[in-house]
């Protein structure tokens, strides 16, 4: 459903933005109100009415009473406080699901202003979390995203037993999971994907290191015209930690339909926050994501001073046209008989131990080892290692689905809905082939 709805809403957004451009209005605040109103209209149509969420404008309030700048669009739950004689509200940070900063034209100064406002929202969130305000919030979804990013899926209580930087990465993914989605939306401005990337990297280079300069301070999504830069923080997009170099891609760019990206972010946040199931996608086509920002953990000395933390680097150039990542089609994982048996065993027993005698005998009869099998399945991210020694693994999702194809292949996935859609399309394609 996301693909179909996003195409409809993107067409509506583009059409109505053209209508606004034709209005001969010179008053800056009124122009801003027009684009903010259009955004609230589009966002409101993307949220199911039955969930009881509201789309408002106003301020976000932290635990100590400190407030954000005025937010153009907020998606909120619960109850806020009306500002007398206005349409604006003050909403507590813990009940804000998403915040939008809307710009008619997004360029250097306006981009810096938007980033500063989003960093302020992130700080309110961090302060609230540090006070224990989120309490025992369910972070299992974030924990699964940590597993998909790193290949490790220990018990929550065992996170700190993993080597650096894994506990730090887990902390960042959890913080992103419970934070509001932060969106910067420009209707005009940077002309293409490359220009948007350069504008953001120039801004970050100008700002330099310091407070509110890390991953958490960055917006979840920046849209300008039909181009986007988005976080790979597991909500829902993520990238794997590259063990051989230690780099982790944390932001990517896209020049396709930005409303699809927006819906993915909003529906993931709403679904995890309210613990509801929203309609799955109706397409196997996946977004083309070009790596843009990456970070790497550093623990060493610089000019005689010990430094520990993440250093950030920008991939300045888009891939050459011949090397550019294509929009991929979702596919399940191929599995041989040994991997299939291993997954069924993991589903039955809850874990797979590398030194399990029965498991060792079985895989040796098929000419391989338990370590080879477990490493293959963790690379596919259907299993995650439970310890730093990589001796015990478990399923990342509670269930695994298998399809035996007419060609004799076996495919598996822990995304049952996508596997069902893939199977339907594969069978339809075979029927068409048999007719010709």
């Amino acid at each position: 459903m996301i693909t179909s709805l996003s195409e409809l809403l993107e067409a509506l957004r583009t059409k109505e933005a053209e209508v606004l451009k034709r209005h001969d209005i010179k008053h800056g605040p009124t122009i801003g109100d027009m684009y903010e109103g259009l955004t609230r209209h589009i966002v409101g149509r993307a949220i199911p009415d039955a969930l009881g969420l509201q789309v408002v404008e106003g301020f976000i309030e932290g635990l100590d009473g400190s407030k954000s700048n005025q937010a153009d669009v907020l998606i909120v739950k619960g109850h806020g406080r009306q500002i007398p004689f206005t349409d604006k509200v003050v909403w507590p940070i813990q009940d804000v699901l998403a915040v939008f900063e809307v710009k008619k034209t997004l360029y250097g100064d306006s981009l810096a202003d938007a980033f500063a406002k989003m960093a302020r929202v992130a700080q309110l969130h961090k302060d609230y979390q540090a006070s224990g305000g989120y309490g025992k919030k369910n972070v299992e979804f974030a924990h699964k995203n940590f597993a998909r990013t790193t290949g490790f899926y220990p018990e929550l209580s065992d996170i700190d037993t993993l080597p650096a930087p894994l506990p730090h990465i887990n902390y960042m993914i959890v913080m992103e999971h419970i934070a509001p989605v932060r969106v910067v939306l420009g209707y005009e401005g940077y002309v293409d994907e490359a220009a948007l990337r350069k504008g953001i990297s120039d801004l970050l280079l100008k700002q330099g290191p310091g407070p509110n300069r890390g991953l958490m301070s960055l917006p979840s999504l920046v849209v300008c015209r039909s181009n986007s830069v988005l976080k790979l923080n597991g909500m829902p997009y993520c990238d794997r930690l590259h063990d051989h170099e230690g780099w982790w891609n944390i932001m990517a760019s896209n020049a396709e339909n930005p409303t699809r990206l927006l819906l993915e972010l909003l529906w993931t946040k709403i679904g995890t926050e309210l613990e509801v199931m929203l309609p799955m996608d109706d397409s196997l086509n996946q977004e083309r994501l070009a790596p843009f920002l990456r970070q790497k953990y550093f623990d060493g000395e610089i000019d005689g001073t010990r430094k520990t933390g993440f250093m950030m680097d920008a991939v300045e150039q888009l891939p050459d046209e011949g090397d550019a990542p294509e929009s991929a089609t979702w596919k399940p994982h191929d599995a041989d008989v040994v991997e299939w048996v291993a997954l069924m065993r993991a589903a039955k027993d809850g874990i797979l131990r590398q030194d399990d005698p029965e498991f060792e005998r079985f895989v040796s009869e098929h000419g391989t080892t338990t370590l080879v099998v477990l490493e293959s399945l963790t690379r596919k991210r259907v299993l995650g290692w439970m310890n730093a020694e990589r001796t015990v693994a478990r399923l990342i999702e509670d269930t695994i689905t298998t399809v035996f194809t007419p060609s004799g292949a076996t495919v598996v996935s822990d995304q049952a809905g996508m596997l069902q859609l893939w199977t339907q399309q594969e069978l339809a394609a075979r029927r068409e082939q048999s007719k010709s």
Side-chain angles (χ1 to χ4, degrees), residues 61 63 77 91-97 128 133-134 137 273:
E61 186 173 57
L63 187 64
K77 63 177 183 176
W91 224 273
I93 180 68
Q94 65 269 27
D95 289 337
V96 177
L97 277 67
Y128 188 78
Y134 290 108
K137 201 175 188 71
E273 182 72 21

Side-chain angles (χ1 to χ4, degrees), residues 164-430:
L166 297 180
H168 306 289
I169 292 175
N170 180 75
Y171 173 77
M172 286 187 285
I173 290 176
V174 169
M175 287 291 286
E176 290 284 341
H177 165 72
I178 59 181
V181 174
R182 284 102 57 211
V183 180
V184 175
L185 178 56
Y187 283 87
E188 300 176 33
Y190 296 106
V191 296
D192 57 24
E193 183 181 2
L196 178 59
R197 288 164 62 104
K198 186 175 188 306
I200 294 175
S201 61
D202 286 350
L203 171 62
L204 297 178
L205 181 63
K206 180 180 178 181
Q207 289 179 337
N212 288 326
R213 295 289 188 266
L215 172 65
M216 190 65 211
S217 68
L218 300 175
S220 311
L221 177 68
V222 183
V223 175
C224 188
R225 300 179 187 262
S226 61
N227 307 292
S228 307
V229 167
L230 71 153
K231 272 186 180 174
L232 305 177
N233 59 3
M235 294 294 289
Y237 302 95
C238 66
D239 188 56
R240 298 183 181 189
L241 180 68
H242 300 285
D243 293 334
H244 58 290
E245 295 178 339
W247 287 106
W248 173 29
N249 291 324
I250 58 173
M251 295 196 87
S253 65
N254 178 270
E256 298 164 323
N257 179 359
T259 302
R260 177 176 177 178
L261 302 178
L262 177 60
L263 284 184
E264 292 278 9
L265 268 65
L266 293 182
W267 283 19
T268 299
K269 177 62 180 179
I270 291 169
T272 56
E273 182 72 21
L274 303 184
E275 297 184 350
V276 296
M277 290 291 295
L278 294 175
M280 61 168 281
D281 203 352
D282 49 1
S283 170
L284 296 175
N285 293 330
Q286 296 183 299
E287 299 84 344
R288 186 274 293 155
L289 300 177
F292 170 49
L293 290 183
R294 59 181 186 169
Q295 66 179 22
K296 184 178 184 178
Y297 186 72
F298 178 82
D299 185 1
E301 287 192 1
I302 299 179
D303 298 329
T305 303
R306 188 170 188 81
K307 301 286 186 180
T308 301
F310 285 92
M311 54 183 182
M312 191 179 297
D313 179 45
V315 180
E316 295 292 347
Q317 299 294 326
L318 277 166
D320 293 334
E321 188 170 337
D323 299 326
E326 300 289 340
S327 295
T329 300
W330 185 92
K331 294 179 180 179
H333 300 290
D334 292 322
D336 60 27
V337 64
V338 177
E339 290 180 340
W340 181 80
V341 169
L343 289 172
M344 296 306 103
R345 189 180 182 91
K348 175 178 177 292
D349 298 339
I351 63 171
L352 268 178
R353 302 187 65 90
Q354 191 185 141
D355 60 356
D356 181 288
E358 185 178 347
F359 186 36
E360 283 185 313
R361 283 195 300 273
F362 172 75
V363 299
S364 65
E365 290 172 359
H366 288 78
T368 186
T369 68
T370 55
L371 179 59
V372 168
V373 175
L374 292 179
E375 284 185 335
S376 173
L377 293 173
T378 53
R379 281 196 302 271
K380 293 174 180 178
R381 296 300 196 260
V382 288
L383 293 184
W385 294 111
M386 294 189 67
N387 55 7
E389 296 76 21
R390 305 186 190 216
T391 58
V392 186
R394 62 170 173 164
L395 292 174
I396 294 177
E397 293 293 342
D398 295 333
T399 59
I400 196 85
T401 305
T402 302
V403 170
F404 302 101
T405 70
S407 63
T410 301
V411 296
V412 297
S413 177
D414 54 18
Q415 300 180 56
M418 294 297 285
L419 181 56
Q420 180 180 9
L421 183 59
W422 177 86
T423 303
Q424 291 171 347
Q425 294 192 12
E426 286 292 304
L427 291 175
R430 288 183 65 87

Side-chain angles (χ1 to χ4, degrees), residues 22-55:
R22 292 197 293 269
H23 280 270
D24 187 23
I25 295 176
K26 308 299 183 184
H27 185 244
T30 301
I31 295 173
D33 289 344
M34 292 162 59
Y35 284 91
E36 292 161 17
L38 171 58
T39 304
R40 283 192 292 275
H41 176 68
I42 298 297
V43 171
R45 296 187 65 164
I47 301 173
D49 293 335
L51 299 179
L53 300 175
Q54 300 179 59
V55 180

Side-chain angles (χ1 to χ4, degrees), residues 50-68:
L51 299 179
L53 300 175
Q54 300 179 59
V55 180
V56 300
E57 60 176 318
F59 299 84
I60 304 171
E61 186 173 57
L63 187 64
D64 62 355
S66 56
K67 296 177 179 60
S68 70

